[in-house]
Amino acid sequence: MKKSQNKTKPLAQNRKASHDYTIEDTIEVGMVLQGTEIKSIRRGSANLKDSFARIYKDEMYVYNMHIAPYEEGNRYNHDPLRNRKLLLHRKEINKLRGHIEQPGNALIPLKLYIKNGVCKMLLGIASGKKKYDKREDLKKKQMKRDIDRALKEQYR
């Protein structure tokens, strides 16, 4: 008998990422957090919108990720928009460096969740979409929705 997977719902999600980017690959990374940040994340007070990851001095950081200050925190509360270090092995950083050095590619945070008591982030290697690609995706989504609606009505 297999163990059940520890599946939890994401505490923060970047919904706009799949609309603005084509996600080519994903990687799970850990984060270095201060004391009150994890409490705020567990409350669901994190925002991944407009955030991105970048390599700086052979270390990976996430920028523009907003974690709201913890209300019950004291004077040692954290800065909401500080750059947070991501935990990866050197080989993984070098592999990602090769991907993001190609023009048009970026590292975009997709989800933030707790796994086995530790905060994890799902990073996506993404390439930007053009405006006509976005329109095409919306058309496909609408067509699929219409087909599903018609099939549902047919089998009622």
Side-chain angles (χ1 to χ4, degrees):
M1 196 157 136
K2 289 185 178 179
K3 268 188 185 177
S4 65
Q5 295 281 336
N6 186 8
K7 295 197 178 198
T8 59
K9 66 175 188 161
L11 299 173
Q13 203 167 14
N14 192 349
R15 296 178 187 268
K16 202 150 168 78
S18 62
H19 177 71
D20 292 339
Y21 302 97
T22 302
I23 309 299
E24 297 167 4
D25 196 13
T26 59
I27 185 168
E28 184 181 81
V29 299
M31 294 174 52
V32 175
L33 298 171
Q34 291 179 350
T36 56
E37 286 178 327
I38 188 66
K39 292 179 181 185
S40 191
I41 287 173
R42 285 182 189 271
R43 278 197 175 166
S45 304
N47 188 355
L48 297 176
K49 187 179 174 190
D50 297 330
S51 60
F52 60 95
R54 197 178 271 169
I55 298 172
Y56 177 72
K57 292 187 179 178
D58 290 334
E59 293 179 340
M60 180 90 51
Y61 290 91
V62 65
Y63 297 88
N64 288 347
M65 185 174 102
H66 185 272
I67 298 176
Y70 188 61
E71 289 88 22
E72 285 82 30
N74 54 15
R75 65 180 179 201
Y76 300 112
N77 224 341
H78 63 276
D79 176 27
L81 283 174
R82 77 177 185 91
N83 303 334
R84 292 164 180 89
K85 186 176 176 182
L86 300 177
L87 302 172
L88 287 101
H89 292 284
R90 178 76 48 219
K91 287 181 182 179
E92 293 173 325
I93 291 174
N94 291 336
K95 180 182 166 190
L96 290 174
R97 177 179 279 131
H99 285 291
I100 62 174
E101 284 179 351
Q102 296 174 1
N105 284 357
L107 286 172
I108 307 297
L110 302 174
K111 291 181 187 177
L112 196 62
Y113 52 93
I114 304 289
K115 181 178 178 183
N116 298 330
V118 180
C119 185
K120 299 284 185 175
M121 178 184 286
L122 188 67
L123 272 182
I125 301 169
S127 58
K129 283 185 185 177
K130 302 284 185 202
K131 200 169 199 172
Y132 55 85
D133 290 335
K134 294 177 190 178
R135 284 192 204 124
E136 193 67 33
D137 284 348
L138 288 175
K139 285 179 189 175
K140 286 179 185 175
K141 188 186 273 187
Q142 185 62 40
M143 286 172 42
K144 184 181 182 317
R145 196 175 296 141
D146 291 343
I147 290 169
D148 289 344
R149 191 176 298 131
L151 287 174
K152 189 175 180 181
E153 288 296 321
Q154 184 179 0
Y155 289 110
R156 274 194 174 183

